[in-house]
Amino acid sequence: MTPVILLAAQKESAEVTDWAARIGWVVGLGLFVALVYWLMREGWKWRGTLQSDLPELPTAPDDLGPARLSMSGRYHGSTTAGQWLDRIVAHGLGTRSQVRLTLTDAGLDVVRPGASDFFVPAGALREAVLGKGIAGKVLTEGGLLLVTWEHGGKLIDSGFRSDHAAEHTQWVDTINSMINKRETEGAR
């Protein structure tokens, strides 16, 4: 035998793939992912049940009056005031969406396509600040407009991001001046 023939005789065929084991792993992984997703969904529903004491959200009155400010952007969610990781999911407040904000003397109208709209009466507004994060969303410093408001005896922080971040400062100044004016007039 020549050396070339010996080399050819020594080659072995590649190991055959064990398809049953591979399919078993894929099915097992798929079931694990489905279980994790189901647990996350149940946790979200449980959080909503725990927050069911929060009353229905107010809707905008028929006559809002002239708009002081208007903005389009993103609604990133609401949390318990001062606790940026304690997301509120009751009444759809945990659903991220596009948003159209309108600030009038009557209050803050929050219109969310694909999610429930709500209205924050001017008397419920407590503060507006520039922030960098809210549950599930962290941005650069000042990248988020955080509006603190009261509903059902609970203080809530709602996070908004304008399509034009330069607008945030004007929103903070205007909302806080409305609050200060109301407090000054109430002290008389």
Side-chain angles (χ1 to χ4, degrees), residues 156-185:
I156 298 171
D157 283 340
S158 292
F160 306 96
R161 179 160 174 85
S162 173
D163 290 337
H164 308 285
E167 295 177 331
H168 290 168
T169 305
Q170 183 182 14
W171 275 81
V172 168
D173 294 342
T174 305
I175 291 173
N176 287 332
S177 70
M178 282 176 62
I179 294 167
N180 291 337
K181 182 179 176 186
R182 185 184 71 233
E183 290 173 354
T184 304
E185 289 174 357

Side-chain angles (χ1 to χ4, degrees), residues 5-62:
I5 295 174
L6 286 176
L7 288 175
Q10 292 176 356
K11 285 189 176 178
E12 294 180 21
S13 61
E15 201 173 304
V16 177
T17 302
D18 184 3
W19 286 104
R22 189 168 284 193
I23 290 171
W25 276 103
V26 169
V27 168
L29 181 62
L31 288 173
F32 177 74
V33 168
L35 174 68
V36 169
Y37 175 77
W38 179 78
L39 288 171
M40 288 170 49
R41 181 177 160 89
E42 290 301 307
W44 186 269
K45 286 172 28 181
W46 178 250
R47 182 174 279 276
T49 302
L50 291 175
Q51 297 168 348
S52 64
D53 62 336
L54 194 67
E56 281 295 319
L57 298 172
T59 56
D62 293 331

Side-chain angles (χ1 to χ4, degrees), residues 84 131-135 137-140 144 146:
W84 72 286
K132 66 177 181 177
I134 198 161
K137 187 66 173 179
V138 178
L139 300 162
T140 59
L144 199 62
L146 294 173

Side-chain angles (χ1 to χ4, degrees), residues 69 71 75 77-82 88 93 101 103 107-110 118-122 124-131 133-134 144-151 154-161 168 171-176 178-179:
L69 292 173
M71 159 175 103
Y75 169 77
S78 292
T79 62
T80 302
I88 296 175
L93 286 175
L101 289 179
L103 181 66
L108 181 64
D109 187 27
V110 182
F118 61 96
F119 178 74
V120 181
L125 290 170
R126 295 295 179 256
E127 181 183 31
V129 296
L130 295 178
I134 198 161
L144 199 62
L145 170 64
L146 294 173
V147 177
T148 303
W149 53 290
E150 185 176 355
H151 181 62
K154 185 174 193 171
L155 287 178
I156 298 171
D157 283 340
S158 292
F160 306 96
R161 179 160 174 85
H168 290 168
W171 275 81
V172 168
D173 294 342
T174 305
I175 291 173
N176 287 332
M178 282 176 62
I179 294 167

